[in-house]
Amino acid sequence: MSKQIILAPLAILPGNHKPQPATIEIDLQSGVIASIQKGLVPPEDKGVDVIQIEEGKVVLPGLVDTHVHLNQPGRTEWEGFQTGTLAAISGGVTTVIDMPLNSIPPTTTLEGLEVKRTEAEKVGVNCDIGFWGGIIPGNAGELVGMLQEGVKGFKCFLIESGVEEFPCVDEEDLLKACEALKDTNALILFHAELDSAPHAHDEPSSSSDPNEYSTFLSSRPEEWELSALSLILKIAKLYPSLRFHIVHLSAASALPAIRQARSEGVNNLTIETCFHYLCLASEEIPDNATQFKCCPPIRDSSNRLQLKQALLDGEIDYVVSDHSPCVPELKKGDFLNSWGGISGLGLGLSLLWTEFRDDQVELGKIVDWMGSVQAKQVGLEDKGGLKVGNKADWIVFDPKKEWDVTLGSLLFKNKVSPYVGKTLRGLVEKTYLSGRLVWDHSKGVEGVAYSQGKLL
């Protein structure tokens, strides 16, 4: 059949955060949405694939996660294209953008980008995937070429990244990169921690216990994020034609400065935060629970509530996973010495629907944060929304289903996550990519249509 008709009693359409009845026609040859009618309109033509959605289930656009670390090649034992994208589609994520680290080589040169693309094509991907480039000292000459070859922007660190092949940059490095990119509208992403007083926090006090989360938290103070923000705003004002973005904001104390800068006309800065900063709180983290360790750190409940409000108010633009896995051995030990990174790819929709249940946030608002806003950020205008001409990526979501996160329910490679043991509300039942069913929760991994994703 060349045509698919979705009869959805409830669907999230652009411009309306409340589900409504819709009939969606998909051209299966092109994998594109051909028409949308409000209400349920059974087709007269019998030679079409008609999908009748159950009452109470909601049709959503395929989601986007612009901050994932798939680590292949080089550290494929941490994560890989197949396992990471499998976890993505199980949670309704049909598009991911892969970070330039922690793969080897990193995506900081044209050659590194080609290695990454070749590897992804060889092993296959289960959702569509794009790539970020990276800015490191000395690679300013590579940036325009990578942009022309399709990278979605460039990530840099203002503090050591944790891997030696992706060193951090200073102000001089940033100015060289911006000069190289000044005739483009490139997007530059910052890991926004900057230690303005080096070594002041390197050694915990003699009374500090490295097995306690509070010790780690005090070693990565909010001031680091504020110091980084000051430099980023300075650069953003110098290069108004470029776009700048703060990844994984964790410190709510940075919000007033962001608010002030925007009121003064700095309109080329966007902000993301992560599921873990919205759903977890430092005072609830047990001793030795290093699955909660990430950088910047998870802060207290008051900070969490301020981030939630900033998201609701539009001061934070969207939410990502920052899926940053490693092998379990690297999570062993205390909070100061274990690897910093949280695994949660594919859990985001359920996490946010659960977290915001008492805030009366419409489902369509969450879909914006996880779909259309991110798609627009990376130039994928045909993704993240159910509208004519868009890619026919869509999911079936049961908003009332409650389920427990178990080790068995995690589909990424290394099953270490702070969400294990949590009961979540809302389950992705099915995921379609270009109109083709790629994930059916009732069948699990036995029913997956593997390697249907494309490189963007």
Side-chain angles (χ1 to χ4, degrees), residues 82 123-127 433 448-454:
Q82 273 289 322
V123 303
V125 289
N126 299 310
C127 67
L433 190 64
V448 173
Y450 287 97
S451 301
Q452 299 303 305
K454 295 183 172 63

PDB file of all heavy atoms in Angstrom, residues 82 123-127 433 448-454:
ATOM      1  N   GLN A  82      23.572   1.390  17.377  1.00  0.00           N
ATOM      2  CA  GLN A  82      22.418   0.496  17.417  1.00  0.00           C
ATOM      3  C   GLN A  82      21.702   0.552  18.763  1.00  0.00           C
ATOM      4  O   GLN A  82      20.480   0.732  18.838  1.00  0.00           O
ATOM      5  CB  GLN A  82      22.849  -0.939  17.093  1.00  0.00           C
ATOM      6  CG  GLN A  82      22.864  -1.273  15.626  1.00  0.00           C
ATOM      7  CD  GLN A  82      21.473  -1.368  15.022  1.00  0.00           C
ATOM      8  OE1 GLN A  82      20.544  -1.857  15.644  1.00  0.00           O
ATOM      9  NE2 GLN A  82      21.331  -0.890  13.793  1.00  0.00           N
ATOM     10  N   VAL A 123      26.924   0.220  10.597  1.00  0.00           N
ATOM     11  CA  VAL A 123      26.212  -0.563  11.618  1.00  0.00           C
ATOM     12  C   VAL A 123      24.718  -0.313  11.597  1.00  0.00           C
ATOM     13  O   VAL A 123      23.947  -1.118  12.121  1.00  0.00           O
ATOM     14  CB  VAL A 123      26.771  -0.274  13.020  1.00  0.00           C
ATOM     15  CG1 VAL A 123      28.255  -0.550  13.077  1.00  0.00           C
ATOM     16  CG2 VAL A 123      26.492   1.158  13.468  1.00  0.00           C
ATOM     17  N   GLY A 124      24.270   0.792  10.986  1.00  0.00           N
ATOM     18  CA  GLY A 124      22.851   1.109  10.927  1.00  0.00           C
ATOM     19  C   GLY A 124      22.379   1.842  12.170  1.00  0.00           C
ATOM     20  O   GLY A 124      22.952   1.724  13.259  1.00  0.00           O
ATOM     21  N   VAL A 125      21.312   2.622  11.990  1.00  0.00           N
ATOM     22  CA  VAL A 125      20.722   3.372  13.100  1.00  0.00           C
ATOM     23  C   VAL A 125      19.215   3.148  13.083  1.00  0.00           C
ATOM     24  O   VAL A 125      18.605   2.982  12.024  1.00  0.00           O
ATOM     25  CB  VAL A 125      21.045   4.880  13.005  1.00  0.00           C
ATOM     26  CG1 VAL A 125      22.510   5.133  13.295  1.00  0.00           C
ATOM     27  CG2 VAL A 125      20.652   5.464  11.652  1.00  0.00           C
ATOM     28  N   ASN A 126      18.616   3.167  14.261  1.00  0.00           N
ATOM     29  CA  ASN A 126      17.199   2.848  14.395  1.00  0.00           C
ATOM     30  C   ASN A 126      16.299   4.077  14.423  1.00  0.00           C
ATOM     31  O   ASN A 126      15.082   3.956  14.474  1.00  0.00           O
ATOM     32  CB  ASN A 126      16.986   2.013  15.658  1.00  0.00           C
ATOM     33  CG  ASN A 126      17.748   0.707  15.588  1.00  0.00           C
ATOM     34  OD1 ASN A 126      17.656  -0.019  14.606  1.00  0.00           O
ATOM     35  ND2 ASN A 126      18.563   0.440  16.595  1.00  0.00           N
ATOM     36  N   CYS A 127      16.901   5.250  14.419  1.00  0.00           N
ATOM     37  CA  CYS A 127      16.159   6.490  14.219  1.00  0.00           C
ATOM     38  C   CYS A 127      17.033   7.399  13.377  1.00  0.00           C
ATOM     39  O   CYS A 127      18.201   7.095  13.119  1.00  0.00           O
ATOM     40  CB  CYS A 127      15.788   7.147  15.553  1.00  0.00           C
ATOM     41  SG  CYS A 127      17.187   7.774  16.516  1.00  0.00           S
ATOM     42  N   LEU A 433       8.493   5.547  11.995  1.00  0.00           N
ATOM     43  CA  LEU A 433       9.520   6.361  11.341  1.00  0.00           C
ATOM     44  C   LEU A 433       9.211   6.383   9.855  1.00  0.00           C
ATOM     45  O   LEU A 433       9.146   5.321   9.217  1.00  0.00           O
ATOM     46  CB  LEU A 433      10.906   5.761  11.604  1.00  0.00           C
ATOM     47  CG  LEU A 433      12.134   6.581  11.214  1.00  0.00           C
ATOM     48  CD1 LEU A 433      12.209   7.871  12.026  1.00  0.00           C
ATOM     49  CD2 LEU A 433      13.412   5.765  11.401  1.00  0.00           C
ATOM     50  N   VAL A 448      11.163  -5.204  16.729  1.00  0.00           N
ATOM     51  CA  VAL A 448      11.809  -3.996  16.206  1.00  0.00           C
ATOM     52  C   VAL A 448      12.121  -4.132  14.717  1.00  0.00           C
ATOM     53  O   VAL A 448      12.614  -5.178  14.261  1.00  0.00           O
ATOM     54  CB  VAL A 448      13.109  -3.706  16.987  1.00  0.00           C
ATOM     55  CG1 VAL A 448      13.878  -2.546  16.348  1.00  0.00           C
ATOM     56  CG2 VAL A 448      12.796  -3.374  18.450  1.00  0.00           C
ATOM     57  N   ALA A 449      11.821  -3.088  13.962  1.00  0.00           N
ATOM     58  CA  ALA A 449      12.287  -2.989  12.567  1.00  0.00           C
ATOM     59  C   ALA A 449      13.612  -2.228  12.617  1.00  0.00           C
ATOM     60  O   ALA A 449      13.643  -1.000  12.701  1.00  0.00           O
ATOM     61  CB  ALA A 449      11.274  -2.274  11.704  1.00  0.00           C
ATOM     62  N   TYR A 450      14.699  -2.954  12.605  1.00  0.00           N
ATOM     63  CA  TYR A 450      16.007  -2.366  12.832  1.00  0.00           C
ATOM     64  C   TYR A 450      16.525  -1.566  11.634  1.00  0.00           C
ATOM     65  O   TYR A 450      16.169  -1.830  10.480  1.00  0.00           O
ATOM     66  CB  TYR A 450      17.033  -3.456  13.181  1.00  0.00           C
ATOM     67  CG  TYR A 450      16.872  -4.035  14.568  1.00  0.00           C
ATOM     68  CD1 TYR A 450      16.181  -5.222  14.773  1.00  0.00           C
ATOM     69  CD2 TYR A 450      17.392  -3.365  15.671  1.00  0.00           C
ATOM     70  CE1 TYR A 450      16.048  -5.756  16.063  1.00  0.00           C
ATOM     71  CE2 TYR A 450      17.258  -3.888  16.950  1.00  0.00           C
ATOM     72  CZ  TYR A 450      16.573  -5.078  17.139  1.00  0.00           C
ATOM     73  OH  TYR A 450      16.426  -5.580  18.401  1.00  0.00           O
ATOM     74  N   SER A 451      17.375  -0.598  11.934  1.00  0.00           N
ATOM     75  CA  SER A 451      18.201   0.117  10.944  1.00  0.00           C
ATOM     76  C   SER A 451      17.379   0.825   9.882  1.00  0.00           C
ATOM     77  O   SER A 451      17.794   0.914   8.727  1.00  0.00           O
ATOM     78  CB  SER A 451      19.191  -0.853  10.295  1.00  0.00           C
ATOM     79  OG  SER A 451      20.039  -1.440  11.265  1.00  0.00           O
ATOM     80  N   GLN A 452      16.238   1.396  10.279  1.00  0.00           N
ATOM     81  CA  GLN A 452      15.419   2.154   9.349  1.00  0.00           C
ATOM     82  C   GLN A 452      15.733   3.648   9.371  1.00  0.00           C
ATOM     83  O   GLN A 452      15.164   4.418   8.608  1.00  0.00           O
ATOM     84  CB  GLN A 452      13.937   1.930   9.661  1.00  0.00           C
ATOM     85  CG  GLN A 452      13.488   0.491   9.537  1.00  0.00           C
ATOM     86  CD  GLN A 452      13.760  -0.076   8.160  1.00  0.00           C
ATOM     87  OE1 GLN A 452      13.319   0.502   7.153  1.00  0.00           O
ATOM     88  NE2 GLN A 452      14.481  -1.172   8.103  1.00  0.00           N
ATOM     89  N   GLY A 453      16.614   4.066  10.271  1.00  0.00           N
ATOM     90  CA  GLY A 453      16.933   5.483  10.363  1.00  0.00           C
ATOM     91  C   GLY A 453      17.873   5.956   9.282  1.00  0.00           C
ATOM     92  O   GLY A 453      18.543   5.159   8.606  1.00  0.00           O
ATOM     93  N   LYS A 454      17.922   7.267   9.098  1.00  0.00           N
ATOM     94  CA  LYS A 454      18.774   7.885   8.088  1.00  0.00           C
ATOM     95  C   LYS A 454      19.728   8.865   8.745  1.00  0.00           C
ATOM     96  O   LYS A 454      19.467   9.398   9.822  1.00  0.00           O
ATOM     97  CB  LYS A 454      17.925   8.612   7.052  1.00  0.00           C
ATOM     98  CG  LYS A 454      17.033   7.703   6.203  1.00  0.00           C
ATOM     99  CD  LYS A 454      16.288   8.509   5.159  1.00  0.00           C
ATOM    100  CE  LYS A 454      15.533   7.612   4.181  1.00  0.00           C
ATOM    101  NZ  LYS A 454      14.501   6.819   4.831  1.00  0.00           N
TER     102      LYS A 454
END
